[in-house]
Amino acid sequence: VLCVAQDYDFLYFVQQWPGALCDTKVSCCYPITGKPAANFSIHGLWPISSSKKRTDFCDRENHFDYSKISDLSNRMQVSWPSLSCPSSNNTKFWSHEWEKHGTCAESAFDQHKYFEAALNLKDSVDLLQVLKNAGIEPVDGKLYSLDSVKEAIQKGVGFVPRLICNKDISKTSQLKEVYLCADKNASTLIECPITRGGSCPSKIEFPSFGSPTPAAAL
Ligand code: 5GP
Ligand code: 5GP
């Protein structure tokens, strides 16, 4: 087995907004355990090298093994649900994230440490509350300026995020993902060492997840 040193400089800690994932033409599926909470959830924790292009699937022999994280099961179900179809028990998503991204950070993390690190980062920042504190609530049909969303996160979390949007059926751009950066060991969030553009226009929706709240009713 050829062993390749995986070097990376920092981690992207990527959270997804279920309201946007489900509000598209392709829609979404809830995990078999039921509808997740209306909160940001984890997409992934991705090792990034500032100088090199993307590296994925760094160790094809290090397969995901659920038994290694069974003690984290409750936290995983709550914080890292899969919203892709068909409905699943989430392990396919976790397996994909470990094998594509986690194996590129094997120098720092075994499977248990990797998932636990992501969960701890999730618990360390309450993005939804940060946005609510700035008056940015998930409401259908209401547009927020991209700058106000960025600024709210910068002030509330302490670091500038990278924001990713998708489009709903009527082509309105909506907040889908928030990228923050963490140091190599995921011990703390840091300012992102590289700046990459996001994919959001200057006005975006922060759609509700759950029973729709018409903006006019507020
Ligand atoms: P998107 O095109 O939605 O940004 O990303 C699609 C997929 O590409 C993500 O789920 C993620 O696995 C991967 N990806 C996006 N950005 C990066 C990156 O900077 N580095 C790596 N290794 N993968 C990325
Ligand atoms: P990435 O390559 O972007 O890290 O991982 C995304 C892959 O995981 C996609 O192939 C997608 O089908 C699958 N997946 C399963 N559940 C989810 C989910 O809730 N969100 C995202 N973004 N991808 C998911």
Side-chain angles (χ1 to χ4, degrees):
V1 182
L2 183 67
C3 239
V4 182
Q6 285 97 40
D7 52 305
Y8 63 98
D9 303 308
F10 66 96
L11 296 157
Y12 268 143
F13 173 55
V14 184
Q15 296 182 67
Q16 58 186 18
W17 176 246
L21 286 167
C22 293
D23 187 21
T24 64
K25 212 169 15 180
V26 292
S27 194
C28 71
C29 289
Y30 299 156
I32 52 178
T33 44
K35 184 182 175 183
N39 201 348
F40 285 90
S41 57
I42 300 170
H43 177 169
L45 184 63
W46 305 340
I48 305 292
S49 158
S50 307
S51 54
K52 275 180 287 178
K53 52 184 166 99
R54 280 183 188 192
T55 356
D56 300 316
F57 299 103
C58 295
D59 181 355
R60 297 272 180 185
E61 298 186 358
N62 189 336
H63 294 291
F64 175 73
D65 177 358
Y66 176 74
S67 70
K68 291 181 173 158
I69 59 162
S70 52
D71 64 307
L72 300 173
S73 171
N74 287 343
R75 295 177 70 194
M76 289 292 294
Q77 306 285 353
V78 170
S79 298
W80 208 327
S82 169
L83 287 154
S84 289
C85 294
S87 287
S88 74
N89 65 0
N90 303 317
T91 51
K92 205 174 160 208
F93 186 29
W94 304 338
S95 169
H96 171 85
E97 290 299 312
W98 167 255
E99 291 176 6
K100 179 171 177 182
H101 301 284
T103 56
C104 297
E106 275 176 326
S107 53
F109 303 101
D110 61 20
Q111 285 187 44
H112 189 273
K113 284 200 177 118
Y114 176 75
F115 287 101
E116 191 174 39
L119 293 169
N120 289 344
L121 285 174
K122 175 77 180 71
D123 291 346
S124 75
V125 22
D126 189 342
L127 263 190
L128 185 59
Q129 192 59 50
V130 158
L131 290 172
K132 284 183 174 172
N133 290 347
I136 297 165
E137 309 250 1
V139 177
D140 293 324
K142 185 167 175 179
L143 295 182
Y144 297 99
S145 82
L146 179 64
D147 288 344
S148 69
V149 176
K150 271 198 169 162
E151 197 178 298
I153 294 172
Q154 179 176 10
K155 287 201 174 130
V157 175
F159 303 104
V160 181
R162 176 181 184 214
L163 303 180
I164 305 294
C165 285
N166 68 3
K167 286 183 177 163
D168 70 11
I169 312 165
S170 53
K171 306 238 163 74
T172 302
S173 290
Q174 49 188 4
L175 181 61
K176 181 181 74 152
E177 290 181 331
V178 177
Y179 286 44
L180 293 166
C181 291
D183 71 331
K184 285 186 80 164
N185 300 311
S187 52
T188 182
L189 293 176
I190 57 171
E191 202 64 72
C192 289
I194 57 173
T195 313
R196 280 193 190 157
S199 64
C200 301
S202 60
K203 295 257 178 199
I204 61 172
E205 190 183 20
F206 185 28
S208 70
F209 179 56
S211 30
T213 317
L218 294 180

